[in-house]
Amino acid sequence: SAVISQKPSRDICQRGTSLTIQCQVDSQVTMMFWYRQQPGQSLTLIATANQGSEATYESGFVIDKFPISRPNLTFSTLTVSNMSPEDSSIYLCSAKEYSYEQYFGPGTRLTVT
Amino acid sequence: QKEVEQNSGPLSVPEGAIASLNCTYSDRVSQSFFWYRQYSGKSPELIMSIYSNGDKEDGRFTAQLNKASQYVSLLIRDSQPSDSATYLCAVEMDSNYQLIWGAGTKLIIKP
């Protein structure tokens, strides 16, 4: 199974600012995903990070608000831009290879004041 | 709209008993099914995957899959207080490997 780390683990940010979350996998993986999880709720997929091409965003999420980079097969970043209190959430990255299971990083707890 | 349904609970089970968690899904072509455990404040942890009809056992955990009924279950034998967590059922879409998530069932094991 892949070991995934995320930085920062938590942050408190002011509204209108941006935060970039980093996700590092200990092995090369084809697919990386970014999720958001509100307290007491299930996971919501933000986008699939594609190496060498633009991320694929789910309905309700746009590139201007959540730009994603995937420069290689072990690393991805998610930026939360122009933050508002509604962006307060836990952000999770995950990784998988075809026909294998999906594993998660420890998450980033974001609070926007 | 592809869906995965779980009873949100909480499901309360006495210590030492069998906990039974259930999940139904709508996408008939899905081939891969997963159970994740999530402790409060932590990220989801994969505990079982199942791909074929029938039972798959791993220690105290048994996953059951019935594709005809579009039903997946997780049994936890000899439940321990440390099993208290939210259990998320996830179904993989064949087309793009994305996971469709259930709402999660909160399990409470009472000593």
Side-chain angles (χ1 to χ4, degrees):
Chain A
S1 64
V3 177
I4 303 171
S5 58
Q6 280 185 240
K7 289 195 295 187
S9 58
R10 58 177 63 223
D11 208 340
I12 301 173
C13 302
Q14 291 191 342
R15 70 171 66 209
T17 63
S18 298
L19 175 72
T20 295
I21 303 168
Q22 298 180 6
C23 179
Q24 180 74 53
V25 188
D26 69 340
S27 59
Q28 293 187 341
V29 290
T30 306
M31 288 169 277
M32 295 182 73
F33 303 93
W34 286 98
Y35 291 87
R36 184 170 72 183
Q37 187 175 32
Q38 307 280 19
Q41 296 190 18
S42 191
L43 284 73
T44 300
L45 181 64
I46 297 171
T48 302
N50 305 308
Q51 196 267 331
S53 64
E54 278 196 3
T56 304
Y57 290 85
E58 298 303 302
S59 176
F61 298 96
V62 295
I63 187 171
D64 290 346
K65 175 69 176 177
F66 297 100
I68 287 170
S69 77
R70 177 91 192 268
N72 56 52
L73 292 176
T74 64
F75 186 78
S76 179
T77 67
L78 169 75
T79 299
V80 186
S81 303
N82 188 25
M83 288 184 285
S84 65
E86 291 72 35
D87 295 319
S88 297
S89 189
I90 297 172
Y91 292 84
L92 295 155
C93 76
S94 69
K96 78 174 269 94
E97 273 299 317
Y98 297 118
S99 302
Y100 289 89
E101 294 91 356
Q102 189 170 142
Y103 293 93
F104 285 83
T108 296
R109 183 180 296 271
L110 171 63
T111 303
V112 183
T113 60
Chain B
Q1 178 80 358
K2 295 179 173 56
E3 294 182 341
V4 175
E5 296 193 357
Q6 292 181 259
N7 189 322
S8 62
L11 174 65
S12 184
V13 175
E15 183 176 358
I18 296 175
S20 177
L21 303 163
N22 304 312
C23 170
T24 59
Y25 61 94
S26 63
D27 185 8
R28 287 191 168 274
V29 303
S30 292
Q31 299 293 324
S32 305
F33 307 86
F34 307 93
W35 284 98
Y36 287 81
R37 177 175 63 196
Q38 188 172 28
Y39 293 114
S40 181
K42 301 294 186 182
S43 64
E45 173 193 9
L46 178 69
I47 53 171
M48 290 289 284
S49 58
I50 187 166
Y51 307 98
S52 305
N53 276 331
D55 294 0
K56 178 182 177 182
E57 187 174 319
D58 184 1
R60 295 186 296 112
F61 298 96
T62 299
Q64 300 175 318
L65 174 61
N66 184 326
K67 291 183 180 179
S69 300
Q70 294 173 243
Y71 178 88
V72 190
S73 65
L74 179 70
L75 301 177
I76 307 174
R77 290 182 300 281
D78 188 23
S79 297
Q80 302 296 310
S82 59
D83 295 325
S84 298
T86 295
Y87 288 81
L88 296 160
C89 174
V91 178
E92 186 176 90
M93 293 174 61
D94 267 11
S95 57
N96 58 16
Y97 300 96
Q98 290 180 4
L99 293 178
I100 308 300
W101 295 88
T105 298
K106 184 173 183 178
L107 177 65
I108 299 171
I109 306 300
K110 291 192 170 182

